[in-house]
């Protein structure tokens, strides 16, 4: 009997040891589940996503110009100063889209909206008379008025696809973007020339009177190149980029409240230049804090004007009489969150 008890205890101890070796600890179980969630199964693809929220500050200037042939009759310079915008973006990286395991196609979309009116001013120059031309001598203006401005609306929209060209570092971009700014002016002062033999003789104050509402809208298909680099064991992400277009479609609207006249102007085949750089650092797992700087330039483009007298409802058209231009810089502080999804398609 004693021998039987000893044999039973020895058998129980041996079975317990074998069972313990086969059952993982709780920490080992969690680690294996995590590895299973990260490692793709057969015929399973991993999609990388990024949510980007940023606070942007924009400074720049927009120009509205009136021509008579080669002569410049009028130019209005509208400030974009200390304009703050809130942006939200979403990026998705799609592996093996074209059957190449080294290829990662990326799609992105971003929307920005103003959260304040900024500040700044507007200067309205006129060159009236046969001896005055703003293209020949800008300083020799006959009439000038100064205004304070507030930006009533500012929005930006950008959607693009990005294709790997080399080692997931050099990439080609193809996209479409829209920039929109709308101002309201409050008159401060003026200097006018009252007649043929009078030059800058009429001086006065406008006492904050509203004079003009002005809006610019740019629609831009573009191409571009960017270079990305992952540094310090994926803790730092750096990027430089440049984009270009020669197919900008733009329009603006100028409403003169005092004269009750509206100018609608249309432009095509304009140019677009954009360059910038960004850097992001990991502050927590899947969370990055970043900074970005970029320049946007829409050089002078000429187009057609449709003028509507709102008192009489008469409409006039002046071809090749309008000019538009815009240049601004943007500084952004952003917070990014990355995550992954899987698919068995």
């Amino acid at each position: 009997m004693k021998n039987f008890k000893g044999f039973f205890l020895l058998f129980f101890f041996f079975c317990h040891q074998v069972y313990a070796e086969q059952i993982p600890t709780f920490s080992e179980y969690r680690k294996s589940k995590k590895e299973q969630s990260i490692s793709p199964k057969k015929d399973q693809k991993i999609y990388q996503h990024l949510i980007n929220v940023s606070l942007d500050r924009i400074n720049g200037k927009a120009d509205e110009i009136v021509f008579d042939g080669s002569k410049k009759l009028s130019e209005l310079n509208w400030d974009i100063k200390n304009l703050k915008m809130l942006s939200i973006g979403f990026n998705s990286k799609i592996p093996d889209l074209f059957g190449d395991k080294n290829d990662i196609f990326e799609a992105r979309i971003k929307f920005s909206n103003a959260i304040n009116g900024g500040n700044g001013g507007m200067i309205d120059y006129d060159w009236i008379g046969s001896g005055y031309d703003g293209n020949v001598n800008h300083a020799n203006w006959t009439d000038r008025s100064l205004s304070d401005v507030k930006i009533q609306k500012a929005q930006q929209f950008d959607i693009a696809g990005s294709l790997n060209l080399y080692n997931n570092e050099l990439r080609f971009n193809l996209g479409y973007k829209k920039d929109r700014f709308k101002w309201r002016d409050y008159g401060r002062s003026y200097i006018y020339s009252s007649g043929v033999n009078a030059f800058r003789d009429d001086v006065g104050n406008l006492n904050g009177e509203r004079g003009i509402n002005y809006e610019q809208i740019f629609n831009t298909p573009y191409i571009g190149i960017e270079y990305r680099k992952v540094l310090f064991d994926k803790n730092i992400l750096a990027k430089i980029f440049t984009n270009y277009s020669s197919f900008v479609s733009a329009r603006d609207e100028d409403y003169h409240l005092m004269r009750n006249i509206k100018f609608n102007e249309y432009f095509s085949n304009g140019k677009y230049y954009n360059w910038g750089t960004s850097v992001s650092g990991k502050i927590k797992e899947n969370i990055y804090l970043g900074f970005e700087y970029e320049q946007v330039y829409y050089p002078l483009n000429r187009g057609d004007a449709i003028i509507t007298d709102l008192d009489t409802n008469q409409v006039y058209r002046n071809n090749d009489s309008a000019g538009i231009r815009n240049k601004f810089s943007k500084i952004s502080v952003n917070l990014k969150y990355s995550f992954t999804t899987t698919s068995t398609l």
Side-chain angles (χ1 to χ4, degrees):
M1 187 68 179
K2 290 182 180 181
N3 291 336
F4 177 76
K5 288 182 178 180
F7 174 78
F8 177 79
L9 289 174
L10 183 63
F11 178 78
F12 176 80
F13 177 78
F14 175 77
C15 291
H16 173 75
Q17 288 296 107
V18 171
Y19 180 77
E21 290 177 0
Q22 292 177 348
I23 301 300
T25 65
F26 180 71
S27 61
E28 291 173 335
Y29 171 78
R30 289 185 60 189
K31 182 178 179 181
S32 65
K33 293 296 289 181
K34 185 176 181 181
E35 289 175 349
Q36 290 175 13
S37 65
I38 295 175
S39 302
K41 299 177 182 178
K42 188 177 180 180
D43 299 327
Q44 187 178 68
K45 291 184 179 181
I46 294 180
Y47 298 85
Q48 302 175 48
H49 309 290
L50 187 73
I51 296 175
N52 180 2
V53 178
S54 69
L55 181 64
D56 316 320
R57 189 179 72 174
I58 295 179
N59 288 284
K61 187 178 73 168
D63 298 326
E64 172 191 8
I65 304 169
V66 180
F67 295 97
D68 181 9
S70 62
K71 177 181 177 178
K72 181 161 66 174
L73 295 177
S74 180
E75 179 173 331
L76 292 79
N77 308 134
W78 298 84
D79 281 342
I80 307 171
K81 285 188 176 180
N82 297 315
L83 175 66
K84 292 182 175 62
M85 304 186 77
L86 182 65
S87 301
I88 183 166
F90 182 77
N91 296 34
S92 283
K93 293 181 179 179
I94 305 172
D96 311 339
L97 183 65
F98 302 105
D100 182 357
K101 291 187 177 180
N102 294 319
D103 170 69
I104 295 182
F105 176 81
E106 179 178 319
R108 64 175 184 263
I109 188 170
K110 186 177 182 181
F111 176 75
S112 307
N113 193 67
I115 57 176
N116 77 337
N119 53 52
M122 187 270 285
I123 307 176
D124 183 352
Y125 299 99
D126 292 312
W127 295 268
I128 300 175
S130 59
Y132 303 95
D133 183 350
N135 278 329
V136 176
N137 187 353
H138 186 280
N140 197 31
W141 47 266
T142 58
D143 302 82
R144 186 191 70 182
S145 63
L146 307 178
S147 301
D148 295 320
V149 298
K150 283 293 183 181
I151 295 178
Q152 297 299 299
K153 185 174 290 186
Q155 295 174 329
Q156 296 176 328
F157 175 77
D158 190 357
I159 184 169
S162 177
L163 186 64
N164 173 42
L165 295 180
Y166 174 73
N167 200 30
N168 287 326
E169 294 179 350
L170 184 64
R171 306 185 68 85
F172 171 77
N173 294 328
L174 176 66
Y176 162 83
K177 72 170 301 187
K178 181 175 185 176
D179 288 313
R180 180 184 186 187
F181 300 96
K182 185 176 184 179
W183 297 261
R184 176 181 292 174
D185 90 313
Y186 302 87
R188 285 166 43 200
S189 63
Y190 65 86
I191 302 174
Y192 295 157
S193 300
S194 61
V196 176
N197 297 319
F199 184 71
R200 300 181 183 175
D201 60 314
D202 185 4
V203 180
N205 293 315
L206 296 168
N207 301 315
E209 186 174 2
R210 285 181 55 194
I212 302 174
N213 292 340
Y214 181 60
E215 182 177 25
Q216 289 185 344
I217 299 175
F218 298 88
N219 295 285
T220 307
Y222 65 87
I223 58 173
I225 293 290
E226 67 179 62
Y227 180 75
R228 303 175 181 178
K229 192 68 176 178
V230 179
L231 305 169
F232 303 107
D233 194 26
K234 298 185 178 181
N235 288 318
I236 300 293
L237 308 176
K239 179 176 74 172
I240 57 174
F241 60 90
T242 182
N243 298 306
Y244 169 79
S245 178
S246 59
F247 300 102
V248 178
S249 172
R251 62 184 176 91
D252 68 12
E253 181 177 285
D254 178 315
Y255 175 37
H256 279 62
L257 281 75
M258 298 178 187
R259 298 161 58 192
N260 205 23
I261 293 178
K262 185 179 290 185
F263 299 81
N264 294 100
E265 300 164 335
Y266 302 90
F267 311 86
S268 60
N269 298 324
K271 297 287 195 298
Y272 161 76
Y273 301 94
N274 170 228
W275 67 270
T277 183
S278 69
V279 61
S280 300
K282 183 186 289 187
I283 58 175
K284 200 173 181 181
E285 189 65 28
N286 298 335
I287 299 178
Y288 294 82
L289 178 65
F291 302 90
E292 183 169 310
Y293 174 82
E294 69 169 315
Q295 285 269 2
V296 174
Y297 180 41
Y298 296 97
L300 177 64
N301 191 18
R302 292 183 63 159
D304 303 329
I306 297 175
I307 306 164
T308 305
D309 187 327
L310 297 176
D311 290 329
T312 64
N313 289 323
Q314 289 183 300
V315 179
Y316 310 90
R317 183 182 182 96
N318 288 334
N319 293 333
D320 200 36
S321 64
I324 192 172
R325 181 167 50 209
N326 193 307
K327 183 178 182 179
F328 64 86
S329 63
K330 181 164 68 173
I331 300 174
S332 304
V333 179
N334 55 64
L335 195 64
K336 301 174 182 178
Y337 173 72
S338 65
F339 63 98
T340 61
T341 59
T342 59
S343 172
T344 56
L345 296 179

